[in-house]
Amino acid sequence: MTPWQSYLSEQDLAVIARGKFGRRMGFGQRPAVVVIDAQNYMVGEHGNDAAWPSSCGEIGRAAVSAIAQLVSAAQERAVPCFFTRFELDPNGADMGVYRRKRDLLNSEHWCLAGTVGAQLVPQLVPGPGDIEFVKKKPSGFHGTPLLGYLVERGIDTVIIAGGATSNCIRATVFDASSWNFRTIVPQEAVFDRIPISHAISLFDMDRQFADVVPLAQVLEYLAGSTPLSSRCSSPESQAGTGPSAA
Amino acid sequence: MTPWQSYLSEQDLAVIARGKFGRRMGFGQRPAVVVIDAQNYMVGEHGNDAAWPSSCGEIGRAAVSAIAQLVSAAQERAVPCFFTRFELDPNGADMGVYRRKRDLLNSEHWCLAGTVGAQLVPQLVPGPGDIEFVKKKPSGFHGTPLLGYLVERGIDTVIIAGGATSNCIRATVFDASSWNFRTIVPQEAVFDRIPISHAISLFDMDRQFADVVPLAQVLEYLAGSTPLSSRCSSPESQAGTGPSAA
Amino acid sequence: MTPWQSYLSEQDLAVIARGKFGRRMGFGQRPAVVVIDAQNYMVGEHGNDAAWPSSCGEIGRAAVSAIAQLVSAAQERAVPCFFTRFELDPNGADMGVYRRKRDLLNSEHWCLAGTVGAQLVPQLVPGPGDIEFVKKKPSGFHGTPLLGYLVERGIDTVIIAGGATSNCIRATVFDASSWNFRTIVPQEAVFDRIPISHAISLFDMDRQFADVVPLAQVLEYLAGSTPLSSRCSSPESQAGTGPSAA
Amino acid sequence: MTPWQSYLSEQDLAVIARGKFGRRMGFGQRPAVVVIDAQNYMVGEHGNDAAWPSSCGEIGRAAVSAIAQLVSAAQERAVPCFFTRFELDPNGADMGVYRRKRDLLNSEHWCLAGTVGAQLVPQLVPGPGDIEFVKKKPSGFHGTPLLGYLVERGIDTVIIAGGATSNCIRATVFDASSWNFRTIVPQEAVFDRIPISHAISLFDMDRQFADVVPLAQVLEYLAGSTPLSSRCSSPESQAGTGPSAA
């Protein structure tokens, strides 16, 4: 059973059937993992969430375990992992119109540059070929070098984890699928503060823009993947020869 | 009462209060209207919706009336309106990864280039300063010239209407607010096939990325606006002088 | 001898040697051809160029022959070709800040939508898998769906032809290499109105952003390439299997 | 006399006249300054340039004085300044296809993150409202938050300084004018390693994409500008009122 099934009516299901929505994109040949905002400020602290204004609490901490499994499986197969961190300047100069929507909170437990809140959660450690970078907006693609990193690595499948499902995950999913990557969301590895926003976002994304699947299915896929290093030759070895069949 | 209130629990409301989400962006000085995919294939035909695979039915047609009011109010004040049309080549070459998610339907009533389904609904007619353009992806900004059009006109406020709320409206809202425009969604002027997706998308957007407001409030704002033509001098008259106070 | 050699001093060559500029990117495995603005208004008419305000004259027409060879070689190997057309609305609404820099010319022989000037030159005919699209700005990537088309096809090498070298070619080369595609410019297949702008642009691009090479080298590369159709399996056949080695 | 005049033939001038190229964009109402890669590695060290592989030498150091004047004039009028720094990870993971074109140099005097070479030159100090950020590609817009910063501040005029003229300046100019900003290049405040690349790039940009003007003209313009702070009201004071005339 999907996380959203209980929210839907008979009529909703009929609409989906008529439009032929929700086929599977399927996995491609060259995956990458993109971990969105898996930072301390997003998951808070057991027993002390009230001190972390944007914490997603236990739900976030459970997802972090799933994300750690995903990252670990990817790193074992040399599948590249990208880690975004949402970070704002304490002076507010880079916050943009979002500052009209929300206060710039003066807290070590939020996403201000230089604070503990803005750091990656300790369970996640980028590997040698991985890249960590800052973003200023919901999507991991917006105003960042992410897309170029994926193009260079010949990625065709983007596996997206992190939070929050209805904000940054969703924006990143829109962009990944709009750039024509097969877009995969392992459902246990994304999280949100609001249960209904989480469930309905998963439903909406699965209908049109991504495959929302159990983490186990993604782990199985990664386990069967050939390490990227053996598929991608180095700059030196590729230069100047004709494009023979892959 | 908002369209989403009935879906939220006490706990959800507490989370929102702790995070200080959902302030008002407010309207700025130079608005534009962006109408997303208000095309025949999205709203179908009274009594014959079964023949239109992506029709949003009566809900869509009611929203079209609201959109027509909005556009008309904008055009009266020379507020520029931009109309996107989602259009696919019948040969599928431009469909991208979406083709893995959904069939390319062979129907005059879908969004294929050259069909009646792909045309703007007849109630909407672009005015002399307005621009209609094709998009290939959910967001009105993705792979289109929209952002440059807004920059050139000095727009600071983007009013977004059309459908579907949980797909193209939401993607366009993410982009508009990520580009730092004040982003306004008149709630009667957006529509969706799935009621819960509609309501929860409005809730999610209003929390962080846009002001979701009654259409009446937008009409009042537009009525009070100074026509753009008197605010924006022509290319000829602006060249080469110093930047005097606005 | 390169087209720019005669313009450089000993000192210039020393600077280049110290910075270790100008290595070869080399060709990759999956090429695409991007033809920029190979339209009637760019190449005019033999004996009548005075009637075509933006014509590049004989230089342009010679390049069109080279472009036709390139496209033909690509189409034979099912290497996808993308054709941009620069097109402006006769009412000027979409011209942007460029209108301050240059008049909107009221001529059938310029780039206005619907005129003969805006059409592709007759020597170039898009094939079944090719895509032709309109752009509003110098780069073929700016405000267009091109990047997504390349991502979907797994392209790693972009071969850029058309004109003008110092304007639209150069802007497209900047974008292609910034998105991390190997970027190739066949020197006979690009053209410009101003000889020194042409030569120095080729030099600048070759130093940092592209390999500027003889057309013959590109044709040889394409002749050795495996048709894309046999490398890319269809959506149906790829779904859901593990990523085995390419 | 312009910096490029001596390079042009009679025929070149006739082509320009026929195409009606090279009008003035003129200055707008809300300027911003964008300083590109004014970093130590770009300008080297007097008497020791051989130790700085990408140094532009005296030419770069002279331009830095001009840039400092420009920035100072802007800061006095509260015109926002944005400073890009081109920075690469010493492990090469973020270098992309550029790595095929050029070696990753292992030097403290190049642009590696954490080295003295990657720092802004000491003559330039961002002010309280200014923003400094890293870019990975030639254009200051590519994969960075710059465009959103400009939109949020209602900028209509982008003054571009720094280096190198034929690489990063030119790429940034293409993007600024493609996004429909009036684009201004103060000719003494940009610099390049190669004199002819510098001159011809200025010529090419002035013809179509920017006004290349003496620094004195920009300083005069800035001196006549109203401080941004008095033109832009704060978030608090703008919310919710109708858009009165500017």
Side-chain angles (χ1 to χ4, degrees), chain B residues 26-29 147-149 151-152 179-182 221 224-226 231 238 240-246, chain D residues 26-29 147-149 151-152 179-182 221 224-226 231 238 240-246:
Chain B
F27 292 99
Q29 305 284 320
L147 181 50
Y149 294 155
V151 169
E152 202 228 344
W179 291 120
N180 283 330
F181 296 101
R182 298 170 185 236
Y221 162 72
S225 77
T226 306
R231 281 178 284 148
Q238 288 191 348
T241 62
S244 56
Chain D
F27 292 99
Q29 306 283 321
L147 180 50
Y149 294 155
V151 169
E152 202 227 344
W179 291 121
N180 284 329
F181 296 102
R182 297 171 187 235
Y221 162 72
S225 78
T226 307
R231 282 178 285 149
Q238 287 191 347
T241 62
S244 55

Side-chain angles (χ1 to χ4, degrees), chain C residues 7 165-167 170 192-204, chain D residues 8 12 170 200-201 203-204 207:
Chain C
Y7 292 100
T165 315
S166 64
N167 299 328
R170 186 145 181 183
D192 201 290
R193 289 166 200 93
I194 315 271
I196 195 172
S197 293
H198 176 75
I200 299 304
S201 262
L202 291 179
F203 166 56
D204 292 343
Chain D
L8 301 184
D12 296 337
R170 187 147 180 180
I200 300 303
S201 262
F203 166 57
D204 291 344
R207 208 170 61 233

Side-chain angles (χ1 to χ4, degrees), chain C residues 25 66 107 133 219 235:
Chain C
M25 278 187 183
S107 163
F133 58 89
L219 295 177

Side-chain angles (χ1 to χ4, degrees), chain A residues 40-41 51-53 90 105-119:
Chain A
N40 292 321
Y41 89 97
W52 297 77
L105 306 178
N106 183 7
S107 162
E108 290 286 313
H109 291 164
W110 204 47
C111 56
L112 300 180
T115 64
V116 63
Q119 295 310 301

